[in-house]
Amino acid sequence: ASAVVTIRTPPGHIPLRLYSREPGDQAYFHNVLQAVEKKLDGSLRFCRKCGAFKPDLAHHSRELGLCILCYQHWDIWSNNAIGFYNHKAYLLCLLYGACAHGMAVALLLPGVLRAWPLSAEAQPPHFVLLAAFYQGGEAAIFGFAALSVLTSAVLGAGSLLWLLFHAVLVARGTTAHGFFRQASCTRHKPPKPKVAGRPFDFGVKGNFVRACGRHPLLWLLPSNQGVEGNGIFFELRMEDSHADGRDGRR
C-alpha cells in the first residue's frame, strides 16, 4: 500500500500564482514568499525552466520538468519524484520493504543451511547453486531458495541503509537534494551554501512530527493525516525568526 501511494501520489509542484514571465519581478513575490533560501546576491530563487519563483526547499525535477515542493530526489523504483506529499509514504515503503526482505531471510535461511550439500565445503558456493539448477527436481528448489535468500538480503540491506540515510536527514531538518547539493554530488550545479542558523531544524522529535504528522499512532500508515503545511510556507525556529524580525511562522 505504501508503494502504491508513493507511485500514484503527485509529489507537489509550485502553484500557478508563483509563476512569472519576468525573473526580475522580485518585489511582489518577495512579500508573498518571504523565503529564507536565496541566491548569493540576496534575490529570490527563480527557475528559468519553469518560469516560477521557488519556495524554500523546492527544486526543479529534470524528469518531471517541474519544480517539486520539498524535493528529495527522483526514485527509479516508483518512477516518481519524492516531494512533500509522498515523502512519508516513501519512508514507509522503505521500512516495510526492509522488514519484508528481513522476514524472507529469517524464514528461508535455516532451511537453506540445513539443505546445503555436504560436498559444498570443497566447492565454491556459486558452483553448488549452478549444479542445483542444472540437476532440477528438489535440488532446483534448494537453488531457488538460496537465490531468494541472497536477493532478499541484498535488497533488505539496501532498503534499510537508504531508510537510515533519510531518517538522519529528517532528524536534521534537511532534504536529500539539499544534502547532495551541499556535498557537491549534483551534476552541472555548484555546491550550495548552508542556510545560516538552520531555520528548519526543530530537533529530532519536532522534525519527525513535521515529516510524519502530529499523531504518532498514524506514523505507520501511508496517509498524510496530521501532516501540517503545504510545502510552500514553513514554520521557522523562533530564535532565528526573532533575529530576522519575524514571528516564526510563515
Side-chain angles (χ1 to χ4, degrees):
S2 299
V4 172
V5 173
T6 303
I7 294 171
R8 298 187 59 85
T9 302
H13 58 83
I14 298 179
L16 292 178
R17 66 176 183 271
L18 296 180
Y19 279 68
S20 174
R21 294 183 178 181
E22 296 295 335
D25 188 12
Q26 293 277 335
Y28 171 75
F29 291 98
H30 181 81
N31 294 327
V32 170
L33 285 177
Q34 298 183 0
V36 175
E37 292 184 322
K38 295 183 175 65
K39 295 182 179 180
L40 296 178
D41 58 358
S43 61
L44 293 176
R45 298 183 304 137
F46 182 81
C47 180
R48 298 184 179 276
K49 297 178 181 179
C50 295
F53 287 93
K54 295 191 289 187
D56 291 331
L57 306 180
H59 296 280
H60 186 81
S61 172
R62 176 172 53 87
E63 291 80 5
L64 290 181
L66 294 171
C67 283
I68 304 302
L69 302 177
C70 293
Y71 181 61
Q72 300 289 334
H73 57 80
W74 176 261
D75 181 53
I76 60 175
W77 300 100
S78 61
N79 193 35
N80 196 6
I82 306 302
F84 180 80
Y85 291 102
N86 62 354
H87 184 211
K88 178 187 174 183
Y90 179 72
L91 296 178
L92 291 178
C93 184
L94 294 176
L95 173 63
Y96 293 138
C99 293
H101 288 297
M103 183 179 298
V105 172
L107 294 175
L108 290 175
L109 185 59
V112 170
L113 294 179
R114 287 195 301 266
W116 193 266
L118 297 178
S119 59
E121 297 179 358
Q123 297 175 352
H126 64 274
F127 180 80
V128 175
L129 293 179
L130 292 177
F133 285 118
Y134 178 77
Q135 293 174 6
E138 296 183 357
I141 297 177
F142 159 77
F144 278 112
L147 185 61
S148 298
V149 170
L150 178 61
T151 303
S152 292
V154 173
L155 294 178
S159 299
L160 181 59
L161 292 176
W162 194 237
L163 174 63
L164 293 177
F165 170 73
H166 275 275
V168 171
L169 294 180
V170 172
R172 297 176 58 185
T174 185
T175 61
H177 187 272
F179 173 82
F180 293 144
R181 283 290 304 273
Q182 292 174 4
S184 303
C185 296
T186 53
R187 296 180 298 177
H188 310 299
K189 290 184 178 180
K192 181 181 179 180
K194 295 182 179 181
V195 179
R198 301 177 66 177
F200 308 109
D201 186 3
F202 287 83
V204 175
K205 181 180 179 180
N207 293 334
F208 273 97
V209 167
R210 282 157 181 77
C212 301
R214 293 179 287 106
H215 310 294
L217 295 179
L218 301 179
W219 283 10
L220 297 180
L221 298 179
S223 170
N224 285 332
Q225 183 68 29
V227 177
E228 298 179 342
N230 56 6
I232 301 176
F233 303 103
F234 298 90
E235 184 179 2
L236 304 178
R237 283 205 307 180
M238 297 300 297
E239 54 267 26
D240 297 320
S241 303
H242 288 319
D244 294 337
R246 296 190 293 268
D247 61 354
R249 185 178 295 272
R250 300 193 288 111

